[in-house]
Amino acid sequence: MKYRSDPSTIRGSIAPVVTPFTAEGAVDHDSLAGLIRFQLDSGSHGISLGGSTGEPSAQSAAERIAAMRTAAEVIDDQVPFLPGTGSHKLDETLEITAAARELGADAALVITPYYARPTQEALYQWYATVAREFPDLPVVAYNVPSRTAVDIAPETVRRLFTDFDNFVGVKETTKDFEHFSRVLHACGRELLVWSGIELLCLPLLALGGAGFVSAVANLAPGAVARMYELWEAGDFDAARDLHYRLHPLVDLLFVETNPAPAKWVLAQQGRIASPHVRPPLTTPTETGLTKIRALLIEGRDLTAPIGADK
């Protein structure tokens, strides 16, 4: 909660942690706590939970809130906590966001409502409702059109940023890099923009982005955090080197639908008890595992801690 009053401090690599399940499919809180500690020990600059990588649409509101409670207890204000609280239902979004506020979240990451394909005016009204309901909680829009079938237009972001003091930023998960620039141009550099596209994380920093919420941080948290730190320190060549070295692990994540490949790797590493993903996802196929193993070998040097002197 200590970062809530100044959301501009929520910068760098905000790790979007997977939600571990037991082999029987229940939320595995022990493994989740271990993953959070792993992220903190590896130098991640913040923690997110309940975004797309966390399989929120396959969980009940009560399960999501319980997972947030576990995460908040482990984080304990060491770094910013930015949980995903959105749903395709407004009442559920408000319920989960209220719980996040009470648990000490520093901001709420609210996905655009999926399936319904709302208009831009409807999106404005949706986020306006959330912002009005929680005036003391920073709100970050989560724009991921590949999963929601709707894109938040730069002008809609500008309206929200202008009208609500607690609407502070957007996580952009679109491969249209021009969109990043248009959002920042429309709103100004005060808007906080994080990339959710792994290979656009470093390029966004050149436009003035606040950082990234990159799923590859599940596998190489130290490397992802270090890439941001190197850029901020002006060591652009070293930052670019890490960007390119991360390519195999980025490709690994999407051999099959995220987060199934990442969970399989984390289970192999003993960081979670099971690679279970809930339907409609499945654990990787044998064909997928062949590719995952090969890519993991390519990127194995980045799955170890990245020291400050590297």
PDB file of all heavy atoms in Angstrom, residues 97-121:
ATOM      1  N   THR A  97     -11.926  -5.750  -7.087  1.00  0.00           N
ATOM      2  CA  THR A  97     -11.163  -4.519  -6.893  1.00  0.00           C
ATOM      3  C   THR A  97     -11.283  -4.028  -5.459  1.00  0.00           C
ATOM      4  O   THR A  97     -10.295  -3.564  -4.864  1.00  0.00           O
ATOM      5  CB  THR A  97     -11.636  -3.439  -7.879  1.00  0.00           C
ATOM      6  OG1 THR A  97     -11.544  -3.945  -9.225  1.00  0.00           O
ATOM      7  CG2 THR A  97     -10.782  -2.185  -7.776  1.00  0.00           C
ATOM      8  N   ALA A  98     -12.465  -4.131  -4.883  1.00  0.00           N
ATOM      9  CA  ALA A  98     -12.652  -3.739  -3.483  1.00  0.00           C
ATOM     10  C   ALA A  98     -11.779  -4.583  -2.567  1.00  0.00           C
ATOM     11  O   ALA A  98     -11.156  -4.072  -1.623  1.00  0.00           O
ATOM     12  CB  ALA A  98     -14.125  -3.872  -3.095  1.00  0.00           C
ATOM     13  N   ALA A  99     -11.706  -5.883  -2.848  1.00  0.00           N
ATOM     14  CA  ALA A  99     -10.864  -6.762  -2.040  1.00  0.00           C
ATOM     15  C   ALA A  99      -9.396  -6.392  -2.188  1.00  0.00           C
ATOM     16  O   ALA A  99      -8.641  -6.384  -1.206  1.00  0.00           O
ATOM     17  CB  ALA A  99     -11.095  -8.214  -2.448  1.00  0.00           C
ATOM     18  N   ALA A 100      -8.976  -6.074  -3.416  1.00  0.00           N
ATOM     19  CA  ALA A 100      -7.579  -5.676  -3.640  1.00  0.00           C
ATOM     20  C   ALA A 100      -7.237  -4.425  -2.844  1.00  0.00           C
ATOM     21  O   ALA A 100      -6.156  -4.328  -2.242  1.00  0.00           O
ATOM     22  CB  ALA A 100      -7.344  -5.442  -5.130  1.00  0.00           C
ATOM     23  N   ARG A 101      -8.150  -3.478  -2.822  1.00  0.00           N
ATOM     24  CA  ARG A 101      -7.917  -2.250  -2.053  1.00  0.00           C
ATOM     25  C   ARG A 101      -7.744  -2.567  -0.566  1.00  0.00           C
ATOM     26  O   ARG A 101      -6.814  -2.064   0.084  1.00  0.00           O
ATOM     27  CB  ARG A 101      -9.077  -1.283  -2.246  1.00  0.00           C
ATOM     28  CG  ARG A 101      -8.927   0.021  -1.460  1.00  0.00           C
ATOM     29  CD  ARG A 101     -10.110   0.935  -1.652  1.00  0.00           C
ATOM     30  NE  ARG A 101     -11.350   0.327  -1.184  1.00  0.00           N
ATOM     31  CZ  ARG A 101     -12.554   0.903  -1.252  1.00  0.00           C
ATOM     32  NH1 ARG A 101     -12.660   2.102  -1.788  1.00  0.00           N
ATOM     33  NH2 ARG A 101     -13.626   0.282  -0.813  1.00  0.00           N
ATOM     34  N   GLU A 102      -8.606  -3.426  -0.047  1.00  0.00           N
ATOM     35  CA  GLU A 102      -8.534  -3.757   1.372  1.00  0.00           C
ATOM     36  C   GLU A 102      -7.280  -4.552   1.710  1.00  0.00           C
ATOM     37  O   GLU A 102      -6.753  -4.463   2.820  1.00  0.00           O
ATOM     38  CB  GLU A 102      -9.785  -4.547   1.788  1.00  0.00           C
ATOM     39  CG  GLU A 102     -11.061  -3.744   1.718  1.00  0.00           C
ATOM     40  CD  GLU A 102     -10.979  -2.444   2.497  1.00  0.00           C
ATOM     41  OE1 GLU A 102     -10.592  -2.484   3.690  1.00  0.00           O
ATOM     42  OE2 GLU A 102     -11.266  -1.375   1.916  1.00  0.00           O
ATOM     43  N   LEU A 103      -6.779  -5.319   0.755  1.00  0.00           N
ATOM     44  CA  LEU A 103      -5.577  -6.128   0.974  1.00  0.00           C
ATOM     45  C   LEU A 103      -4.293  -5.324   0.808  1.00  0.00           C
ATOM     46  O   LEU A 103      -3.202  -5.865   0.988  1.00  0.00           O
ATOM     47  CB  LEU A 103      -5.574  -7.324   0.020  1.00  0.00           C
ATOM     48  CG  LEU A 103      -6.616  -8.407   0.319  1.00  0.00           C
ATOM     49  CD1 LEU A 103      -6.719  -9.399  -0.846  1.00  0.00           C
ATOM     50  CD2 LEU A 103      -6.276  -9.137   1.610  1.00  0.00           C
ATOM     51  N   GLY A 104      -4.424  -4.061   0.449  1.00  0.00           N
ATOM     52  CA  GLY A 104      -3.244  -3.203   0.368  1.00  0.00           C
ATOM     53  C   GLY A 104      -2.617  -3.099  -1.001  1.00  0.00           C
ATOM     54  O   GLY A 104      -1.454  -2.680  -1.117  1.00  0.00           O
ATOM     55  N   ALA A 105      -3.349  -3.454  -2.057  1.00  0.00           N
ATOM     56  CA  ALA A 105      -2.797  -3.317  -3.404  1.00  0.00           C
ATOM     57  C   ALA A 105      -2.438  -1.864  -3.672  1.00  0.00           C
ATOM     58  O   ALA A 105      -3.104  -0.936  -3.187  1.00  0.00           O
ATOM     59  CB  ALA A 105      -3.801  -3.810  -4.439  1.00  0.00           C
ATOM     60  N   ASP A 106      -1.401  -1.654  -4.459  1.00  0.00           N
ATOM     61  CA  ASP A 106      -0.962  -0.305  -4.789  1.00  0.00           C
ATOM     62  C   ASP A 106      -1.684   0.263  -5.995  1.00  0.00           C
ATOM     63  O   ASP A 106      -1.747   1.479  -6.172  1.00  0.00           O
ATOM     64  CB  ASP A 106       0.550  -0.304  -5.027  1.00  0.00           C
ATOM     65  CG  ASP A 106       1.301  -0.671  -3.760  1.00  0.00           C
ATOM     66  OD1 ASP A 106       1.352   0.168  -2.846  1.00  0.00           O
ATOM     67  OD2 ASP A 106       1.798  -1.809  -3.673  1.00  0.00           O
ATOM     68  N   ALA A 107      -2.235  -0.602  -6.831  1.00  0.00           N
ATOM     69  CA  ALA A 107      -3.046  -0.200  -7.973  1.00  0.00           C
ATOM     70  C   ALA A 107      -3.821  -1.430  -8.422  1.00  0.00           C
ATOM     71  O   ALA A 107      -3.461  -2.564  -8.093  1.00  0.00           O
ATOM     72  CB  ALA A 107      -2.176   0.339  -9.110  1.00  0.00           C
ATOM     73  N   ALA A 108      -4.889  -1.197  -9.172  1.00  0.00           N
ATOM     74  CA  ALA A 108      -5.690  -2.290  -9.715  1.00  0.00           C
ATOM     75  C   ALA A 108      -5.518  -2.335 -11.224  1.00  0.00           C
ATOM     76  O   ALA A 108      -5.650  -1.310 -11.904  1.00  0.00           O
ATOM     77  CB  ALA A 108      -7.159  -2.113  -9.359  1.00  0.00           C
ATOM     78  N   LEU A 109      -5.200  -3.508 -11.739  1.00  0.00           N
ATOM     79  CA  LEU A 109      -5.056  -3.722 -13.176  1.00  0.00           C
ATOM     80  C   LEU A 109      -6.377  -4.295 -13.693  1.00  0.00           C
ATOM     81  O   LEU A 109      -6.737  -5.432 -13.365  1.00  0.00           O
ATOM     82  CB  LEU A 109      -3.901  -4.694 -13.437  1.00  0.00           C
ATOM     83  CG  LEU A 109      -3.577  -5.041 -14.885  1.00  0.00           C
ATOM     84  CD1 LEU A 109      -3.093  -3.807 -15.638  1.00  0.00           C
ATOM     85  CD2 LEU A 109      -2.534  -6.146 -14.939  1.00  0.00           C
ATOM     86  N   VAL A 110      -7.101  -3.510 -14.488  1.00  0.00           N
ATOM     87  CA  VAL A 110      -8.469  -3.861 -14.878  1.00  0.00           C
ATOM     88  C   VAL A 110      -8.527  -4.132 -16.376  1.00  0.00           C
ATOM     89  O   VAL A 110      -8.380  -3.222 -17.201  1.00  0.00           O
ATOM     90  CB  VAL A 110      -9.445  -2.739 -14.490  1.00  0.00           C
ATOM     91  CG1 VAL A 110     -10.881  -3.133 -14.866  1.00  0.00           C
ATOM     92  CG2 VAL A 110      -9.357  -2.445 -12.994  1.00  0.00           C
ATOM     93  N   ILE A 111      -8.747  -5.381 -16.725  1.00  0.00           N
ATOM     94  CA  ILE A 111      -8.814  -5.780 -18.128  1.00  0.00           C
ATOM     95  C   ILE A 111     -10.070  -5.231 -18.788  1.00  0.00           C
ATOM     96  O   ILE A 111     -11.105  -5.028 -18.132  1.00  0.00           O
ATOM     97  CB  ILE A 111      -8.781  -7.332 -18.243  1.00  0.00           C
ATOM     98  CG1 ILE A 111      -8.487  -7.767 -19.686  1.00  0.00           C
ATOM     99  CG2 ILE A 111     -10.076  -7.950 -17.724  1.00  0.00           C
ATOM    100  CD1 ILE A 111      -8.196  -9.259 -19.818  1.00  0.00           C
ATOM    101  N   THR A 112      -9.985  -4.957 -20.079  1.00  0.00           N
ATOM    102  CA  THR A 112     -11.193  -4.588 -20.815  1.00  0.00           C
ATOM    103  C   THR A 112     -12.160  -5.775 -20.789  1.00  0.00           C
ATOM    104  O   THR A 112     -11.744  -6.935 -20.896  1.00  0.00           O
ATOM    105  CB  THR A 112     -10.867  -4.243 -22.276  1.00  0.00           C
ATOM    106  OG1 THR A 112     -10.071  -5.284 -22.842  1.00  0.00           O
ATOM    107  CG2 THR A 112     -10.126  -2.930 -22.382  1.00  0.00           C
ATOM    108  N   PRO A 113     -13.457  -5.525 -20.626  1.00  0.00           N
ATOM    109  CA  PRO A 113     -14.425  -6.628 -20.583  1.00  0.00           C
ATOM    110  C   PRO A 113     -14.411  -7.406 -21.894  1.00  0.00           C
ATOM    111  O   PRO A 113     -14.503  -6.827 -22.973  1.00  0.00           O
ATOM    112  CB  PRO A 113     -15.763  -5.922 -20.348  1.00  0.00           C
ATOM    113  CG  PRO A 113     -15.534  -4.506 -20.749  1.00  0.00           C
ATOM    114  CD  PRO A 113     -14.098  -4.209 -20.484  1.00  0.00           C
ATOM    115  N   TYR A 114     -14.258  -8.705 -21.760  1.00  0.00           N
ATOM    116  CA  TYR A 114     -14.081  -9.539 -22.941  1.00  0.00           C
ATOM    117  C   TYR A 114     -15.403 -10.133 -23.424  1.00  0.00           C
ATOM    118  O   TYR A 114     -16.401 -10.141 -22.728  1.00  0.00           O
ATOM    119  CB  TYR A 114     -13.072 -10.657 -22.675  1.00  0.00           C
ATOM    120  CG  TYR A 114     -13.087 -11.221 -21.270  1.00  0.00           C
ATOM    121  CD1 TYR A 114     -13.873 -12.310 -20.924  1.00  0.00           C
ATOM    122  CD2 TYR A 114     -12.293 -10.644 -20.267  1.00  0.00           C
ATOM    123  CE1 TYR A 114     -13.868 -12.823 -19.629  1.00  0.00           C
ATOM    124  CE2 TYR A 114     -12.287 -11.145 -18.979  1.00  0.00           C
ATOM    125  CZ  TYR A 114     -13.080 -12.224 -18.663  1.00  0.00           C
ATOM    126  OH  TYR A 114     -13.090 -12.717 -17.383  1.00  0.00           O
ATOM    127  N   TYR A 115     -15.398 -10.581 -24.648  1.00  0.00           N
ATOM    128  CA  TYR A 115     -16.503 -11.253 -25.343  1.00  0.00           C
ATOM    129  C   TYR A 115     -17.574 -10.286 -25.839  1.00  0.00           C
ATOM    130  O   TYR A 115     -18.055 -10.404 -26.960  1.00  0.00           O
ATOM    131  CB  TYR A 115     -17.149 -12.338 -24.466  1.00  0.00           C
ATOM    132  CG  TYR A 115     -18.203 -13.146 -25.204  1.00  0.00           C
ATOM    133  CD1 TYR A 115     -17.821 -14.101 -26.140  1.00  0.00           C
ATOM    134  CD2 TYR A 115     -19.557 -12.930 -24.998  1.00  0.00           C
ATOM    135  CE1 TYR A 115     -18.776 -14.817 -26.838  1.00  0.00           C
ATOM    136  CE2 TYR A 115     -20.520 -13.640 -25.686  1.00  0.00           C
ATOM    137  CZ  TYR A 115     -20.122 -14.583 -26.612  1.00  0.00           C
ATOM    138  OH  TYR A 115     -21.069 -15.296 -27.306  1.00  0.00           O
ATOM    139  N   ALA A 116     -17.956  -9.291 -25.042  1.00  0.00           N
ATOM    140  CA  ALA A 116     -19.079  -8.419 -25.401  1.00  0.00           C
ATOM    141  C   ALA A 116     -18.743  -7.429 -26.516  1.00  0.00           C
ATOM    142  O   ALA A 116     -19.629  -6.926 -27.191  1.00  0.00           O
ATOM    143  CB  ALA A 116     -19.555  -7.647 -24.176  1.00  0.00           C
ATOM    144  N   ARG A 117     -17.476  -7.099 -26.689  1.00  0.00           N
ATOM    145  CA  ARG A 117     -17.009  -6.151 -27.699  1.00  0.00           C
ATOM    146  C   ARG A 117     -17.678  -4.786 -27.541  1.00  0.00           C
ATOM    147  O   ARG A 117     -18.340  -4.282 -28.449  1.00  0.00           O
ATOM    148  CB  ARG A 117     -17.228  -6.705 -29.106  1.00  0.00           C
ATOM    149  CG  ARG A 117     -16.506  -8.019 -29.362  1.00  0.00           C
ATOM    150  CD  ARG A 117     -16.716  -8.522 -30.769  1.00  0.00           C
ATOM    151  NE  ARG A 117     -16.035  -7.657 -31.735  1.00  0.00           N
ATOM    152  CZ  ARG A 117     -16.127  -7.820 -33.052  1.00  0.00           C
ATOM    153  NH1 ARG A 117     -16.862  -8.792 -33.561  1.00  0.00           N
ATOM    154  NH2 ARG A 117     -15.482  -6.996 -33.861  1.00  0.00           N
ATOM    155  N   PRO A 118     -17.502  -4.137 -26.384  1.00  0.00           N
ATOM    156  CA  PRO A 118     -18.121  -2.835 -26.157  1.00  0.00           C
ATOM    157  C   PRO A 118     -17.537  -1.741 -27.047  1.00  0.00           C
ATOM    158  O   PRO A 118     -16.403  -1.835 -27.508  1.00  0.00           O
ATOM    159  CB  PRO A 118     -17.826  -2.555 -24.684  1.00  0.00           C
ATOM    160  CG  PRO A 118     -16.617  -3.373 -24.380  1.00  0.00           C
ATOM    161  CD  PRO A 118     -16.735  -4.606 -25.223  1.00  0.00           C
ATOM    162  N   THR A 119     -18.329  -0.690 -27.262  1.00  0.00           N
ATOM    163  CA  THR A 119     -17.861   0.477 -28.004  1.00  0.00           C
ATOM    164  C   THR A 119     -16.879   1.274 -27.145  1.00  0.00           C
ATOM    165  O   THR A 119     -16.721   1.032 -25.949  1.00  0.00           O
ATOM    166  CB  THR A 119     -19.037   1.392 -28.359  1.00  0.00           C
ATOM    167  OG1 THR A 119     -19.614   1.887 -27.142  1.00  0.00           O
ATOM    168  CG2 THR A 119     -20.097   0.638 -29.161  1.00  0.00           C
ATOM    169  N   GLN A 120     -16.261   2.280 -27.755  1.00  0.00           N
ATOM    170  CA  GLN A 120     -15.342   3.128 -27.000  1.00  0.00           C
ATOM    171  C   GLN A 120     -16.071   3.881 -25.893  1.00  0.00           C
ATOM    172  O   GLN A 120     -15.544   4.045 -24.785  1.00  0.00           O
ATOM    173  CB  GLN A 120     -14.624   4.099 -27.935  1.00  0.00           C
ATOM    174  CG  GLN A 120     -13.649   3.433 -28.894  1.00  0.00           C
ATOM    175  CD  GLN A 120     -12.569   2.635 -28.183  1.00  0.00           C
ATOM    176  OE1 GLN A 120     -11.907   3.149 -27.288  1.00  0.00           O
ATOM    177  NE2 GLN A 120     -12.388   1.374 -28.560  1.00  0.00           N
ATOM    178  N   GLU A 121     -17.291   4.337 -26.167  1.00  0.00           N
ATOM    179  CA  GLU A 121     -18.062   5.013 -25.117  1.00  0.00           C
ATOM    180  C   GLU A 121     -18.370   4.054 -23.976  1.00  0.00           C
ATOM    181  O   GLU A 121     -18.301   4.428 -22.787  1.00  0.00           O
ATOM    182  CB  GLU A 121     -19.365   5.582 -25.686  1.00  0.00           C
ATOM    183  CG  GLU A 121     -20.246   6.283 -24.659  1.00  0.00           C
ATOM    184  CD  GLU A 121     -19.571   7.477 -23.991  1.00  0.00           C
ATOM    185  OE1 GLU A 121     -18.681   8.105 -24.606  1.00  0.00           O
ATOM    186  OE2 GLU A 121     -19.949   7.788 -22.838  1.00  0.00           O
TER     187      GLU A 121
END
